[in-house]
């Protein structure tokens, strides 16, 4: 019987660790996996929500990990342009024969209330075959893998052919705020992160599982544009004992009901057509046929209706605007003088944000209703589907998951990649992380990742970074 590959050995060790539990758990892992686990656990258990303060503590902890791995003090720095909003930048110096590679991940996480979770969101729960915690996926799995892999490569004496830049940043989850670390670095210290291309989170979770097995490895090359609006309806106010037709809540409710019934026009871009074209081979029946028709660029109404009924696909086909927050009233016996809603729009990169604004105002508009954009649209170009990085992702994917295709995708979410793309650095969202689309819990309660899938993230980046930086693609 042939000796199993390094990836299969790793997965066998992880499976054994789950069966053993307790202290034997750690002993079953390779030394590299043990270091990765320690980094991951430490980072996940540092609360980096905005309400808790920020990311400086996490940045300092990762700085220590990198220094302990052998990096010099001059190779790594923590930059804190705003209180508690620290960013880490490491430069793993190469021989300069090729331009730098950027590895980008964010340290902050969205809020998590203990009462919404089965376990403490800021303690890593390791049970049932999953790692569960806030940030266990988004984005501390990737950040931890980068720190672990670069530390391992440094300790092994790896000599890169290009500088490898690691940037762990603040406030990605808060969008275009001044303290967003990636945005601040682009605007204030671009020399620290200038690179030929970069890797970041996918914004869509990364790879897809089907029936528990890897099916597609998504490669994010474009993303939608985020614009958030405030919608405010005015009313007469007064005492609840004397109801009036001029009610701000009813007026706002009517506007939101119109929005809920409205669909922006279909506009299928090149990246989405490529996604459907490559995905069709791994679908079956009517869905596979519909994917091929969408890829052709000439779908009929019935195909569009079926595809739009699937929320994930509908978000790829058109701009979407949805109400996310509603505020009205101050007392149970008083009629409010105003009622407000937040509407979050995700605009296709090929749509005109000005035209979307016009359509939205037309749908929501009415007597005594004001619509205000809270941020400016920030379009960004798609990254090219060629070159070293794409070829390397495809090669490593075939090594680790033979037969699984790499599929280009437009993220329906927003990532910090848009700032780098606008600065002239092509960015690619790929994680080596495979998730069941029906069980994606990032931003929600009980965020989790299968134990073995997490260790695959570390192995994927070890191989990919080794390959891209010109060294031998070592495995263990």
């Amino acid at each position: 019987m042939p000796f199993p590959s390094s990836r299969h050995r790793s997965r066998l060790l992880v499976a054994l660790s789950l069966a053993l539990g307790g202290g034997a758990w750690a002993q079953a892992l390779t030394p590299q996996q043990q270091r990765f686990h320690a980094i991951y656990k430490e980072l996940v258990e540092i609360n980096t929500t905005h309400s808790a303060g920020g990311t400086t503590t996490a940045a300092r902890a990762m700085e220590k990990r990198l220094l302990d791995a052998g990096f010099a003090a001059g190779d790594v720095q923590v930059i804190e342009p705003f209180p508690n909003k620290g960013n880490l930048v490491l430069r793993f110096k190469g021989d300069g024969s090729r331009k730098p590679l950027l590895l980008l991940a964010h340290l902050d996480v969205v809020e998590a209330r203990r009462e919404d979770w089965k376990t403490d969101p800021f303690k890593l729960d390791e049970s049932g075959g999953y790692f569960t915690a806030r940030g266990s996926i988004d984005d501390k799995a990737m950040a931890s893998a980068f720190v672990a892999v670069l530390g391992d490569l440094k300790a092994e004496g790896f000599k890169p052919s290009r500088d490898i830049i690691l940037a762990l940043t603040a406030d990605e989850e808060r969008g275009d705020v001044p303290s967003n670390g990636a945005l601040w670095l682009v605007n204030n210290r671009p020399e620290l992160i200038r690179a030929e291309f970069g890797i970041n989170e996918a914004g869509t979770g990364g790879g897809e599982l089907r029936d528990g097995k890897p099916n597609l490895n998504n490669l994010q090359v474009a993303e939608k544009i985020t614009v958030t609006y405030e919608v405010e309806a005015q009313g007469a106010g007064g005492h609840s004992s004397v109801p009036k037709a001029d009610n701000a809540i009813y007026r706002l409710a009517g506007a939101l009901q119109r929005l809920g019934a409205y669909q922006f026009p279909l506009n299928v871009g090149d990246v989405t057509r490529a996604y459907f074209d490559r995905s069709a081979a791994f679908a079956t029946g009517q869905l596979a046929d519909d994917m091929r028709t969408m890829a052709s660029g000439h779908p009929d109404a019935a195909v569009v209706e079926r595809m739009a009924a699937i929320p994930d696909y509908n978000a790829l086909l058109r701009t979407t605007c949805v109400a996310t927050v509603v505020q009205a009233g101050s007392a149970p016996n008083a009629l409010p003088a105003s009622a407000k809603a937040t509407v979050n729009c995700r605009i296709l990169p090929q749509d005109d944000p000005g035209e979307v604004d016009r359509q939205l105002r037309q749908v929501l508009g009415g007597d005594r209703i004001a619509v205000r954009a809270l941020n400016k649209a920030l379009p960004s170009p798609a990254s090219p589907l060629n070159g070293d990085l794409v070829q390397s992702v495809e090669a490593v994917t075939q090594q680790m998951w033979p037969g699984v295709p790499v599929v280009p995708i437009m993220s329906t979410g927003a990532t910090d990649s848009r700032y780098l793309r606008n600065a002239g650095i092509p960015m690619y969202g790929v994680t080596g992380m495979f998730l069941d689309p029906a069980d994606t819990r990032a931003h929600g309660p009980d965020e989790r990742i299968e134990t073995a899938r997490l260790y695959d993230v570390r192995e994927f980046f070890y191989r990919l970074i080794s390959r891209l930086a010109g060294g031998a693609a070592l495995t263990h």
Side-chain angles (χ1 to χ4, degrees):
M1 175 177 158
F3 193 70
S5 69
S6 63
R7 183 178 68 86
H8 288 121
R9 292 199 305 274
S10 296
R11 293 187 70 82
L12 287 170
L13 287 169
V14 171
L16 179 60
S17 75
L18 291 175
L20 293 173
W25 184 103
Q27 296 173 13
L29 298 177
T30 67
Q32 294 82 9
Q33 288 173 332
Q34 289 181 39
R35 285 195 293 271
F36 173 43
H37 175 270
I39 292 167
Y40 178 69
K41 178 178 172 63
E42 179 181 26
L43 188 56
V44 162
E45 293 188 347
I46 299 172
N47 186 336
T48 55
T49 58
H50 179 59
S51 64
T55 56
T56 300
T57 300
R60 292 290 182 197
M62 295 302 99
E63 177 187 39
K64 184 177 186 305
R65 290 282 182 176
L66 292 164
L67 293 175
D68 289 347
F71 287 100
D75 295 335
V76 58
Q77 58 184 306
V78 172
I79 304 169
E80 190 184 34
F82 299 89
N84 300 315
K85 302 294 184 180
N87 307 276
L88 179 146
V89 180
L90 164 78
R91 186 172 291 264
F92 190 166
K93 295 174 184 176
D95 64 20
S97 59
R98 291 196 284 175
K99 295 180 180 178
L101 162 68
L102 173 65
L103 308 176
L104 178 67
H106 63 88
L107 294 170
D108 63 309
V109 296
V110 297
E111 302 291 337
R113 300 191 308 170
R114 177 64 184 89
E115 58 267 31
D116 295 335
W117 286 59
K118 295 176 183 176
T119 59
D120 185 336
F122 299 105
K123 294 292 183 183
L124 185 64
D125 182 82
E126 307 178 38
S127 62
Y130 289 90
F131 290 123
T132 302
R134 174 58 83 225
S136 58
I137 296 173
D138 186 11
D139 189 27
K140 291 181 177 179
M142 194 166 183
S144 301
F146 285 158
V147 171
V149 166
L150 294 183
D152 288 342
L153 290 173
K154 183 67 172 178
E156 292 164 10
F158 181 77
K159 304 296 184 184
S161 61
R162 61 169 99 229
D163 286 4
I164 305 171
I165 303 166
L166 172 64
L168 304 180
T169 59
D171 272 3
E172 187 273 349
E173 298 292 5
R174 298 180 65 222
D176 300 340
V177 296
S179 54
N180 179 296
L183 179 60
W184 188 90
L185 288 167
V186 165
N187 289 336
N188 296 277
R189 298 295 303 275
E191 74 282 0
L192 293 179
I193 55 173
R194 193 170 292 123
E196 182 179 359
F197 48 74
I199 299 170
N200 188 22
E201 63 176 328
T204 51
E208 297 178 10
L209 294 173
R210 178 172 293 179
D211 298 326
K213 298 179 181 179
N215 182 56
L216 304 172
N217 194 11
N218 291 324
L219 180 67
Q220 191 251 58
V221 297
E223 59 190 78
K224 282 184 155 181
I225 306 160
T226 302
V227 181
T228 301
Y229 289 84
E230 181 184 78
V231 183
E232 182 173 11
Q234 300 293 328
H239 201 287
S240 64
S241 64
V242 186
K244 302 172 184 176
D246 185 10
N247 187 305
I249 292 177
Y250 297 159
R251 184 172 284 115
L252 179 65
L256 297 181
Q257 189 172 31
R258 292 193 298 274
L259 177 63
Y262 181 75
Q263 285 194 323
F264 285 86
L266 187 77
N267 191 353
V268 186
D270 292 342
V271 173
T272 298
R273 283 200 291 271
Y275 170 78
F276 284 132
D277 182 53
R278 297 193 189 184
S279 299
F282 298 87
T284 58
Q286 185 68 62
L287 177 60
D289 292 341
D290 288 349
M291 284 181 165
R292 293 188 184 95
T293 303
M294 295 302 305
S296 74
H298 303 287
D300 59 33
V303 171
V304 172
E305 183 178 0
R306 284 193 295 270
M307 295 297 281
I310 303 170
D312 286 352
Y313 294 151
N314 184 62
L316 295 174
L317 302 178
R318 52 171 49 91
T319 288
T320 62
C321 292
V322 61
T324 55
V325 178
V326 176
Q327 298 172 312
S330 59
N333 58 351
L335 303 174
S338 70
K340 296 180 181 180
T342 300
V343 171
N344 184 250
C345 293
R346 304 296 174 124
I347 303 171
L348 290 171
Q350 64 269 24
D351 277 353
D352 177 7
E355 177 59 20
V356 170
D357 183 272
R358 186 195 66 78
Q359 294 175 53
L360 180 68
R361 292 175 187 276
Q362 186 176 43
V363 172
L364 290 171
D367 181 39
R368 302 182 70 185
I369 292 179
V371 180
R372 291 181 288 274
L374 301 182
N375 67 288
K376 293 182 179 180
L378 183 66
S380 63
S383 298
L385 275 170
N386 53 39
D388 242 8
L389 189 138
V390 175
Q391 293 171 13
S392 294
V393 169
E394 290 176 338
V396 174
T397 299
Q398 290 312 304
Q399 289 174 6
M400 293 186 65
W401 305 284
V404 172
V406 175
V407 179
I409 193 168
M410 174 197 67
S411 172
T412 56
T415 73
D416 284 340
S417 289
R418 62 194 188 277
Y419 309 128
L420 283 302
R421 289 187 179 117
N422 286 339
I425 303 172
M427 296 296 294
Y428 297 87
V430 64
T431 65
M433 184 189 311
F434 285 81
L435 304 171
D436 184 342
D439 189 44
T440 301
R441 304 186 184 192
H443 285 211
D446 304 318
E447 180 180 347
R448 67 182 189 174
I449 181 173
E450 286 183 79
T451 305
R453 300 293 171 200
L454 177 73
Y455 291 106
D456 278 352
V457 174
R458 185 250 165 226
E459 180 68 17
F460 176 79
F461 281 124
Y462 185 89
R463 297 188 188 202
L464 182 61
I465 293 168
S466 299
R467 182 184 178 101
L468 287 169
L474 308 173
T475 60
H476 27 67

